[in-house]
Short mmCIF file of all heavy atoms in Angstrom, two decimals:
data_model
loop_
_atom_site.label_atom_id
_atom_site.label_comp_id
_atom_site.label_asym_id
_atom_site.label_seq_id
_atom_site.Cartn_x
_atom_site.Cartn_y
_atom_site.Cartn_z
N PRO Y 20 -16.42 20.98 -14.28
CA PRO Y 20 -15.15 20.95 -15.02
C PRO Y 20 -14.89 19.59 -15.67
O PRO Y 20 -15.48 18.56 -15.30
CB PRO Y 20 -14.11 21.24 -13.93
CG PRO Y 20 -14.75 20.72 -12.68
CD PRO Y 20 -16.21 20.99 -12.82
N ASN Y 21 -13.98 19.60 -16.61
CA ASN Y 21 -13.48 18.38 -17.24
C ASN Y 21 -12.31 17.88 -16.39
O ASN Y 21 -11.30 18.57 -16.26
CB ASN Y 21 -13.03 18.70 -18.67
CG ASN Y 21 -12.46 17.49 -19.39
OD1 ASN Y 21 -12.37 16.40 -18.84
ND2 ASN Y 21 -12.08 17.69 -20.64
N VAL Y 22 -12.45 16.70 -15.79
CA VAL Y 22 -11.47 16.20 -14.84
C VAL Y 22 -10.89 14.87 -15.34
O VAL Y 22 -11.63 13.98 -15.74
CB VAL Y 22 -12.09 15.99 -13.45
CG1 VAL Y 22 -11.03 15.49 -12.46
CG2 VAL Y 22 -12.72 17.29 -12.94
N THR Y 23 -9.57 14.76 -15.29
CA THR Y 23 -8.89 13.51 -15.61
C THR Y 23 -8.15 13.04 -14.37
O THR Y 23 -7.34 13.79 -13.80
CB THR Y 23 -7.91 13.68 -16.78
OG1 THR Y 23 -8.65 13.97 -17.97
CG2 THR Y 23 -7.10 12.41 -17.00
N ALA Y 24 -8.44 11.81 -13.95
CA ALA Y 24 -7.77 11.22 -12.78
C ALA Y 24 -6.77 10.17 -13.26
O ALA Y 24 -7.04 9.45 -14.23
CB ALA Y 24 -8.80 10.59 -11.84
N ILE Y 25 -5.65 10.07 -12.57
CA ILE Y 25 -4.54 9.21 -13.00
C ILE Y 25 -4.11 8.30 -11.86
O ILE Y 25 -4.01 8.74 -10.71
CB ILE Y 25 -3.35 10.08 -13.45
CG1 ILE Y 25 -3.74 10.98 -14.62
CG2 ILE Y 25 -2.15 9.22 -13.83
CD1 ILE Y 25 -2.66 11.98 -15.01
N GLY Y 26 -3.84 7.03 -12.19
CA GLY Y 26 -3.34 6.11 -11.17
C GLY Y 26 -3.72 4.69 -11.48
O GLY Y 26 -3.67 4.23 -12.61
N GLY Y 27 -4.14 3.96 -10.43
CA GLY Y 27 -4.52 2.57 -10.60
C GLY Y 27 -5.11 2.01 -9.33
O GLY Y 27 -5.10 2.65 -8.27
N GLY Y 28 -5.66 0.81 -9.43
CA GLY Y 28 -6.16 0.09 -8.27
C GLY Y 28 -7.35 0.74 -7.60
O GLY Y 28 -8.05 1.58 -8.18
N ALA Y 29 -7.56 0.37 -6.34
CA ALA Y 29 -8.70 0.87 -5.58
C ALA Y 29 -8.60 2.37 -5.34
O ALA Y 29 -9.62 3.06 -5.24
CB ALA Y 29 -8.80 0.14 -4.24
N GLY Y 30 -7.38 2.90 -5.25
CA GLY Y 30 -7.21 4.34 -5.03
C GLY Y 30 -7.77 5.17 -6.16
O GLY Y 30 -8.45 6.18 -5.94
N LEU Y 31 -7.53 4.76 -7.39
CA LEU Y 31 -8.07 5.49 -8.54
C LEU Y 31 -9.58 5.34 -8.60
O LEU Y 31 -10.29 6.31 -8.91
CB LEU Y 31 -7.42 4.99 -9.83
CG LEU Y 31 -7.91 5.64 -11.13
CD1 LEU Y 31 -7.78 7.16 -11.08
CD2 LEU Y 31 -7.15 5.08 -12.33
N ALA Y 32 -10.10 4.15 -8.30
CA ALA Y 32 -11.55 3.96 -8.31
C ALA Y 32 -12.23 4.88 -7.29
O ALA Y 32 -13.26 5.51 -7.58
CB ALA Y 32 -11.89 2.50 -8.02
N THR Y 33 -11.66 4.98 -6.09
CA THR Y 33 -12.21 5.88 -5.07
C THR Y 33 -12.15 7.33 -5.52
O THR Y 33 -13.10 8.11 -5.33
CB THR Y 33 -11.44 5.71 -3.75
OG1 THR Y 33 -11.60 4.38 -3.28
CG2 THR Y 33 -11.94 6.68 -2.69
N THR Y 34 -11.03 7.71 -6.14
CA THR Y 34 -10.90 9.08 -6.64
C THR Y 34 -11.94 9.37 -7.70
O THR Y 34 -12.52 10.47 -7.72
CB THR Y 34 -9.48 9.29 -7.21
OG1 THR Y 34 -8.52 9.06 -6.17
CG2 THR Y 34 -9.31 10.70 -7.75
N LEU Y 35 -12.24 8.43 -8.57
CA LEU Y 35 -13.26 8.63 -9.59
C LEU Y 35 -14.64 8.79 -8.96
O LEU Y 35 -15.46 9.59 -9.44
CB LEU Y 35 -13.27 7.45 -10.57
CG LEU Y 35 -12.06 7.38 -11.51
CD1 LEU Y 35 -12.10 6.07 -12.30
CD2 LEU Y 35 -12.03 8.57 -12.47
N GLU Y 36 -14.92 8.04 -7.90
CA GLU Y 36 -16.19 8.23 -7.20
C GLU Y 36 -16.29 9.65 -6.65
O GLU Y 36 -17.36 10.27 -6.69
CB GLU Y 36 -16.32 7.21 -6.07
CG GLU Y 36 -16.46 5.77 -6.56
CD GLU Y 36 -16.46 4.79 -5.40
OE1 GLU Y 36 -16.56 5.23 -4.23
OE2 GLU Y 36 -16.36 3.58 -5.65
N ALA Y 37 -15.19 10.18 -6.15
CA ALA Y 37 -15.17 11.54 -5.63
C ALA Y 37 -15.36 12.55 -6.75
O ALA Y 37 -16.12 13.53 -6.61
CB ALA Y 37 -13.86 11.80 -4.90
N VAL Y 38 -14.68 12.34 -7.86
CA VAL Y 38 -14.75 13.27 -9.00
C VAL Y 38 -16.17 13.39 -9.53
O VAL Y 38 -16.60 14.47 -9.97
CB VAL Y 38 -13.77 12.81 -10.10
CG1 VAL Y 38 -14.03 13.54 -11.42
CG2 VAL Y 38 -12.32 13.04 -9.66
N GLN Y 39 -16.93 12.31 -9.46
CA GLN Y 39 -18.30 12.34 -9.97
C GLN Y 39 -19.20 13.31 -9.23
O GLN Y 39 -20.26 13.69 -9.73
CB GLN Y 39 -18.91 10.94 -9.90
CG GLN Y 39 -18.31 9.98 -10.91
CD GLN Y 39 -18.90 8.60 -10.78
OE1 GLN Y 39 -20.06 8.37 -11.10
NE2 GLN Y 39 -18.10 7.66 -10.29
N THR Y 40 -18.80 13.73 -8.03
CA THR Y 40 -19.64 14.62 -7.25
C THR Y 40 -19.62 16.06 -7.75
O THR Y 40 -20.40 16.88 -7.27
CB THR Y 40 -19.25 14.59 -5.76
OG1 THR Y 40 -17.93 15.13 -5.61
CG2 THR Y 40 -19.29 13.18 -5.21
N TYR Y 41 -18.71 16.38 -8.67
CA TYR Y 41 -18.65 17.78 -9.12
C TYR Y 41 -18.29 17.95 -10.60
O TYR Y 41 -18.48 19.02 -11.17
CB TYR Y 41 -17.63 18.57 -8.28
CG TYR Y 41 -16.20 18.11 -8.45
CD1 TYR Y 41 -15.34 18.72 -9.38
CD2 TYR Y 41 -15.69 17.06 -7.68
CE1 TYR Y 41 -14.03 18.28 -9.53
CE2 TYR Y 41 -14.38 16.63 -7.83
CZ TYR Y 41 -13.56 17.24 -8.74
OH TYR Y 41 -12.27 16.82 -8.91
N ALA Y 42 -17.78 16.91 -11.25
CA ALA Y 42 -17.28 17.06 -12.62
C ALA Y 42 -18.40 17.01 -13.65
O ALA Y 42 -19.41 16.33 -13.46
CB ALA Y 42 -16.24 15.98 -12.92
N GLY Y 43 -18.18 17.72 -14.74
CA GLY Y 43 -19.10 17.63 -15.87
C GLY Y 43 -18.66 16.60 -16.88
O GLY Y 43 -19.47 16.03 -17.61
N GLN Y 44 -17.36 16.35 -16.94
CA GLN Y 44 -16.79 15.35 -17.84
C GLN Y 44 -15.64 14.68 -17.11
O GLN Y 44 -14.87 15.34 -16.41
CB GLN Y 44 -16.28 16.02 -19.13
CG GLN Y 44 -15.74 15.06 -20.16
CD GLN Y 44 -15.34 15.78 -21.45
OE1 GLN Y 44 -15.79 16.90 -21.73
NE2 GLN Y 44 -14.48 15.15 -22.23
N MET Y 45 -15.50 13.36 -17.26
CA MET Y 45 -14.51 12.60 -16.48
C MET Y 45 -13.76 11.62 -17.36
O MET Y 45 -14.33 11.01 -18.26
CB MET Y 45 -15.19 11.83 -15.35
CG MET Y 45 -15.78 12.68 -14.26
SD MET Y 45 -17.00 11.75 -13.29
CE MET Y 45 -18.38 11.70 -14.42
N SER Y 46 -12.47 11.46 -17.06
CA SER Y 46 -11.65 10.46 -17.70
C SER Y 46 -10.72 9.85 -16.66
O SER Y 46 -10.37 10.49 -15.67
CB SER Y 46 -10.81 11.07 -18.83
OG SER Y 46 -11.62 11.64 -19.83
N ALA Y 47 -10.32 8.60 -16.91
CA ALA Y 47 -9.33 7.93 -16.07
C ALA Y 47 -8.19 7.47 -16.95
O ALA Y 47 -8.42 6.88 -18.01
CB ALA Y 47 -9.95 6.74 -15.35
N VAL Y 48 -6.95 7.73 -16.52
CA VAL Y 48 -5.76 7.23 -17.20
C VAL Y 48 -5.14 6.21 -16.25
O VAL Y 48 -4.75 6.55 -15.14
CB VAL Y 48 -4.77 8.35 -17.54
CG1 VAL Y 48 -3.50 7.79 -18.14
CG2 VAL Y 48 -5.42 9.33 -18.52
N VAL Y 49 -5.02 4.96 -16.72
CA VAL Y 49 -4.82 3.82 -15.83
C VAL Y 49 -3.49 3.11 -16.13
O VAL Y 49 -3.10 2.94 -17.29
CB VAL Y 49 -5.98 2.81 -15.98
CG1 VAL Y 49 -5.89 1.72 -14.93
CG2 VAL Y 49 -7.32 3.53 -15.90
#
Side-chain angles (χ1 to χ4, degrees):
N21 179 359
V22 181
T23 294
I25 299 173
L31 179 55
T33 298
T34 300
L35 289 173
E36 293 175 11
V38 167
Q39 289 178 70
T40 66
Y41 65 94
Q44 183 176 340
M45 292 162 285
S46 300
V48 175
V49 188

